[in-house]
Amino acid sequence: MVAIRIVTVTLTVIMFAAIVVAMNTGDFGSEGSWILDNPWGRMSLIDIYVGIALFAGWVFLRERSPWVAVLWIPAFVVLGNAGTALYAAIAAFRTDDIRAFLLGARA
């Protein structure tokens, strides 16, 4: 679990740092339209939202209350993999057991 904690925290920090850099150096209002105009930009959006849907399925599986999972989904949609990494890091610190990490309340 130590390795999982290190990896998830590291990825969380990297993703949030990348968001801060992008917000400080870019202009999503004018540059964001490029994503929708470019086939690979659209593909990247499809890729991230399919990944978010899969990750949300894991969250629904492991959380005792479906409402907890529902509350995390906006964070995943807005923050992308910064949100998923944050969720995984929090889950990693809540247990010392890999099975409990993966299955949560269903372990």
Side-chain angles (χ1 to χ4, degrees), residues 55-94:
F55 195 87
W58 177 58
V59 173
F60 272 98
L61 172 75
R62 67 179 310 284
E63 290 296 337
R64 186 174 317 260
S65 167
W67 295 110
V68 172
V70 167
L71 291 174
W72 272 100
I73 290 174
F76 301 155
V77 171
V78 172
L79 299 172
N81 283 317
T84 63
L86 178 62
Y87 178 87
I90 291 169
F93 278 93
R94 288 189 173 164

